[in-house]
Amino acid sequence: MACAFCNTCRAVIVFIWAALTLLIVHVASATNISIHVAASEIERQALLNSGWWKDRIPHNTSDHCNWVGITCDYKGSITHIELVECSIKGELGSLNFSCFPNLQYLNLWNNNLSGSIPPQIGSLSNLKYLNLRWNNLIGTTPIEIGSLRNLEELYLRSNKLSGVLPQEIGNLKSLIWLSVMYNTVGGPIPSTLFRLTNLERLFLGCNQFNGTIPREIGNLKNLTHLSIITNKLTGAIPSTLGHLTSLLYLDLSFNQLHSFIPLEIGNFSALAELDLSDNKIRGTIPMTLHPMFLDMSFNNLEGEIPTYLRDNPPNSFPSCSQRHRLAPSFILSVKIFLPLTLVLAFTIFGFILLLKGKSENLKLVTGGYDGKILYEDLINATEDFHIRYCIGTGGYGSVYKAELPDGKVVALKKLHQSETEDSAFVESFQNEARVLSTVRHRNIVKLYGFCLHKRCMFFIYEYMERGSLFYVLRDDDEAIELNWTRRVNIVKSVAHALSYLHHDCTPSIVHRDISSNNILLNSNLEAFVADFGTARLLHVDSSNRTLRAGTYGYIAPELAYTMVVTEKCDVYSFGVVALESLSSSSGPKIMLIDILDQRLSPPVNQKIIQDIILVSTTALACLRSKPKSRPTMQRISQELEGKTPMKKGLKEISISEMRNQEMFWLHESDNTQ
């Protein structure tokens, strides 16, 4: 009996214990759920209180995880906030950052946010990416930013921040990218910055940093890009820079650095671009420097240029890189080896190429081909611009094909004699030289040099074997060779080039004549934007009113009544070119499949089909009548590389359906006000 009783007791105890365990688990689970619900509601309320989502909440949904720019984890907690180019107004502190403990990604790039960076931003302990560039933020960078120990990328560029960088920035041990360019941050560069040994890109340019470049900069062994352009740095260039053997790009121009160029810079075996211009550097150029793009103009250098630098100039010009040149500059100071009788003041960038022409001809051409383009060679190669070498003629002049003695083929665009006496044509010529001498992009045609003289004006361009997109599309055989993949790639290339001109150059450059005539194709049918004669620099303090320019059929409609040029004029023209690249010349149709070029077989590859849908939808977004409702070229460039369009076949998609596809351009209504 005792044994049976014990077994019964034991069973009861086990049952009670199991029941209690289940009850505890249930209570704990319910409590946990309620905690998650409460936390989620706090995040939702914080979004609403900011006012940023006032007009961005989809109809009939209270779930903030489905709102524009919001991404949540499986628990419903916000991990990503991305409102790019959404015209958000108000203070950055309107969003209570302390309500988002799981936030990893915060991108508020290119809005109208004002006020200072609130100290509460330091509560985002899980943040890995913070982008606040291109806003109107003021004040100093708060010391609390040093609490973001997991931060990998920090962009504060192009605001109105002042004061100094806090020493606490040295706590961001995970940081690989830091940009504070285009602010008014001053004082010495904080020494703690050089504890960030994971840094790969450091951009401090266009601020008011003073003092010397600390020797500790040599600790940043992983650095590939370093720019401290346009500051107030003094002293010598530290020899410890030579420790940065991974460096690809170094720009210390527009400072007050002096003394000599350290020999250790010769350790930069991977360096592709070095700019030390506009300083007070003296002495000679080290013989240990490796061939690279090199700008040492406006210094006090003396002696001869090393032979390897004279014989191996680069094949391309430097990018705009948002730098401001206040005077014409030469890649190497003329004090080194050229007498001032040989200086062409119009030059902005470019190597000086000596010519051996007759005395009545201009003796200099500037460019970046090989340093030895001779005027005589150009004349001989074209038999003094004989018509047999002419490959195209337009209102501006004629284009000639010239094969140089070394076998290199170039294109020469020469103004007609009558045009050299017309101030409008000369101004257009000078404008193209000025723009193309300051840009570098793989999808913008290369300018090797130019000759500017009242009796002879011509450009020396990279030769494009297949001519313009316009002519290729209108030749049946060539159009068939331009398959769907190549057409999509052409549109993407043009998008990338325009994004670069609009968003990576300061002032921004608007082409104003984007058309299939001005898209050139090389032997591999790769696209390059050309003809910058009507390009304009957009100055923020100017009305940017202009005379009408461009090609009929590609001109944005607002230019007919406002005459104010903006980047959105190029966006409209790009949309026309994108549709032209895909469609045939037949009459209007309803379905997408019906407007595609009938000379090609319908695509069957699903990736190509989705690319065609994406390009078509993007093009239609570019053709909206209101300029502000069109996406920017930077957004287009990004979308064409990353978006996944609707999963439908070409025969199932109508033009009207594509025009209503908000899934591609969620910020459409944000820009229409």
Side-chain angles (χ1 to χ4, degrees):
M1 288 292 295
C3 181
F5 178 79
C6 289
N7 289 336
T8 302
C9 291
R10 196 176 293 116
V12 170
I13 292 172
V14 169
F15 175 80
I16 294 173
W17 178 255
L20 287 174
T21 301
L22 288 173
L23 180 61
I24 292 171
V25 169
H26 176 74
V27 171
S29 177
T31 303
N32 193 38
I33 291 173
S34 64
I35 290 174
H36 282 308
V37 170
S40 178
E41 180 58 28
I42 290 174
E43 292 182 341
R44 179 180 181 276
Q45 197 59 47
L47 298 181
L48 288 173
N49 291 342
S50 72
W52 298 352
W53 279 267
K54 180 180 179 182
D55 301 317
R56 298 177 174 84
I57 301 175
H59 297 298
N60 303 320
T61 177
S62 60
D63 184 3
H64 59 274
C65 291
N66 291 323
W67 294 0
V68 174
I70 299 298
T71 302
C72 298
D73 60 19
Y74 72 97
K75 296 179 181 179
S77 183
I78 296 176
T79 58
H80 289 61
I81 297 178
E82 183 175 14
L83 290 178
V84 174
E85 295 182 303
C86 289
S87 301
I88 302 172
K89 298 180 180 178
E91 295 197 358
L92 177 63
S94 299
L95 186 65
N96 188 347
F97 294 112
S98 61
C99 295
F100 305 96
N102 297 311
L103 193 64
Q104 300 177 24
Y105 183 98
L106 177 59
N107 190 354
L108 302 175
W109 170 75
N110 200 5
N111 284 289
N112 297 314
L113 293 171
S114 57
S116 59
I117 301 175
Q120 290 84 357
I121 205 163
S123 64
L124 302 177
S125 58
N126 289 306
L127 200 65
K128 295 182 179 180
Y129 179 97
L130 176 58
N131 192 340
L132 302 176
R133 61 180 175 172
W134 290 99
N135 280 286
N136 298 304
L137 302 178
I138 60 173
T140 60
T141 306
I143 61 174
E144 288 80 3
I145 208 162
S147 301
L148 307 179
R149 303 298 179 92
N150 292 308
L151 199 63
E152 297 176 358
E153 299 181 46
L154 174 58
Y155 303 90
L156 303 177
R157 174 182 179 145
S158 300
N159 280 285
K160 300 175 182 178
L161 299 174
S162 56
V164 299
L165 278 182
Q167 293 288 341
E168 287 76 7
I169 204 164
N171 297 332
L172 307 180
K173 298 298 178 63
S174 300
L175 207 62
I176 59 175
W177 194 316
L178 172 62
S179 175
V180 296
M181 291 185 71
Y182 292 94
N183 284 285
T184 56
V185 180
I189 300 173
S191 58
T192 56
L193 187 62
F194 306 110
R195 300 175 187 169
L196 308 181
T197 54
N198 288 316
L199 266 183
E200 296 177 6
R201 301 193 178 210
L202 177 59
F203 300 98
L204 304 177
C206 301
N207 279 288
Q208 297 181 14
F209 289 108
N210 55 37
T212 61
I213 301 175
R215 291 182 54 81
E216 291 79 7
I217 198 169
N219 296 337
L220 306 181
K221 300 292 180 61
N222 291 311
L223 213 58
T224 61
H225 291 71
L226 173 61
S227 173
I228 322 181
I229 179 180
T230 314
N231 277 282
K232 300 178 180 179
L233 298 175
T234 59
I237 300 173
S239 60
T240 52
L241 272 177
H243 298 167
L244 309 181
T245 54
S246 298
L247 213 57
L248 302 174
Y249 171 90
L250 174 60
D251 193 340
L252 304 178
S253 60
F254 286 92
N255 281 285
Q256 300 174 38
L257 300 172
H258 56 75
S259 191
F260 304 96
I261 301 174
L263 295 176
E264 288 79 2
I265 282 187
N267 297 339
F268 296 149
S269 59
L271 197 66
E273 183 170 339
L274 172 62
D275 194 339
L276 303 178
S277 63
D278 290 86
N279 279 287
K280 299 178 180 179
I281 302 170
R282 63 182 186 273
T284 59
I285 300 176
M287 300 297 293
T288 54
L289 279 177
H290 293 268
M292 62 184 79
F293 180 84
L294 182 66
D295 190 343
M296 294 189 179
S297 58
F298 293 105
N299 278 292
N300 297 314
L301 298 170
E302 55 190 14
E304 294 187 356
I305 300 176
T307 303
Y308 71 88
L309 287 178
R310 275 204 308 269
D311 294 343
N312 296 282
N315 290 324
S316 57
F317 295 94
S319 66
C320 298
S321 300
Q322 309 257 357
R323 69 184 62 182
H324 296 278
R325 295 277 177 177
L326 302 181
S329 67
F330 298 96
I331 297 306
L332 299 171
S333 172
V334 295
K335 185 175 179 181
I336 298 177
F337 81 115
L338 293 177
L340 289 174
T341 57
L342 295 182
V343 174
L344 182 61
F346 181 71
T347 308
I348 297 176
F349 288 107
F351 279 79
I352 294 178
L353 311 181
L354 297 179
L355 305 178
K356 298 180 181 178
K358 299 179 181 179
S359 60
E360 67 267 27
N361 293 320
L362 187 66
K363 298 301 189 295
L364 293 177
V365 170
T366 63
Y369 165 45
D370 66 357
K372 294 182 180 179
I373 295 180
L374 303 181
Y375 183 84
E376 286 180 346
D377 293 336
L378 298 174
I379 297 301
N380 293 336
T382 59
E383 296 181 27
D384 200 9
F385 299 104
H386 193 280
I387 192 173
R388 76 179 67 175
Y389 298 97
C390 182
I391 57 176
T393 301
Y396 55 82
S398 300
V399 179
Y400 298 82
K401 178 181 178 182
E403 183 174 352
L404 300 176
D406 63 355
K408 178 74 175 183
V409 178
V410 297
L412 304 179
K413 184 165 81 171
K414 181 180 179 294
L415 264 67
H416 297 143
Q417 182 63 38
S418 59
E419 293 161 355
T420 62
E421 300 171 4
D422 187 321
S423 59
F425 281 106
V426 173
E427 181 180 353
S428 177
F429 182 97
Q430 293 174 336
N431 188 63
E432 182 156 6
R434 179 168 59 250
V435 172
L436 281 181
S437 295
T438 58
V439 301
R440 181 184 65 185
H441 189 276
R442 70 180 308 272
N443 297 118
I444 294 178
V445 66
K446 289 184 178 66
L447 174 67
Y448 291 142
F450 60 86
C451 177
L452 178 60
H453 190 273
K454 65 180 181 180
R455 297 181 59 183
C456 185
M457 294 185 184
F458 61 85
F459 291 109
I460 311 170
Y461 288 111
E462 178 182 17
Y463 179 67
M464 294 292 166
E465 293 84 353
R466 303 302 294 268
S468 73
L469 175 62
F470 177 89
Y471 284 109
V472 171
L473 288 174
R474 276 150 186 79
D475 183 281
D476 288 347
D477 293 333
E478 292 194 47
I480 292 173
E481 184 181 357
L482 204 63
N483 59 34
W484 295 120
T485 299
R486 286 169 173 162
R487 295 185 187 212
V488 168
N489 287 337
I490 285 172
V491 174
K492 290 182 178 180
S493 296
V494 176
H496 297 332
L498 291 178
S499 174
Y500 165 80
L501 293 171
H502 292 180
H503 300 281
D504 294 326
C505 296
T506 296
S508 299
I509 298 174
V510 178
H511 188 283
R512 292 209 300 162
D513 194 13
I514 293 297
S515 71
S516 56
N517 266 314
N518 293 330
I519 308 301
L520 303 183
L521 307 177
N522 65 8
S523 58
N524 296 320
L525 292 172
E526 297 171 320
F528 299 80
V529 177
D531 201 341
F532 284 74
T534 61
R536 279 284 299 272
L537 306 181
L538 288 192
H539 298 278
V540 294
D541 298 324
S542 171
S543 67
N544 292 307
R545 294 186 67 85
T546 180
L547 296 177
R548 185 180 300 170
T551 303
Y552 286 106
Y554 299 84
I555 301 174
E558 65 270 15
L559 285 179
Y561 52 88
T562 67
M563 306 304 287
V564 176
V565 63
T566 70
E567 295 97 335
K568 296 302 178 71
C569 299
D570 279 356
V571 174
Y572 183 93
S573 301
F574 166 80
V576 178
V577 171
L579 283 182
E580 184 181 8
S581 300
L582 298 181
S583 65
S584 62
S585 57
S586 56
K589 302 292 177 62
I590 298 177
M591 305 304 291
L592 174 59
I593 187 67
D594 293 324
I595 71 166
L596 295 182
D597 197 330
Q598 304 299 306
R599 293 170 295 185
L600 298 182
S601 300
V604 293
N605 181 280
Q606 191 60 35
K607 174 64 168 58
I608 296 302
I609 291 174
Q610 299 308 311
D611 280 345
I612 291 173
I613 296 172
L614 180 55
V615 168
S616 302
T617 307
T618 302
L620 291 172
C622 295
L623 297 178
R624 293 173 182 147
S625 58
K626 293 182 179 179
K628 288 186 177 180
S629 71
R630 300 170 199 153
T632 66
M633 286 309 308
Q634 186 169 56
R635 181 66 184 270
I636 292 167
S637 177
Q638 294 168 349
E639 297 285 342
L640 288 177
E641 291 298 334
K643 277 287 186 181
T644 301
M646 48 185 156
K647 299 292 185 180
K648 285 189 175 183
L650 294 177
K651 295 182 179 180
E652 301 173 277
I653 300 176
S654 67
I655 300 302
S656 60
E657 183 179 6
M658 288 196 300
R659 294 184 68 91
N660 294 325
Q661 275 298 309
E662 294 184 1
M663 63 181 292
F664 292 101
W665 306 106
L666 292 174
H667 67 300
E668 175 180 354
S669 60
D670 304 339
N671 294 328
T672 56
Q673 64 272 20

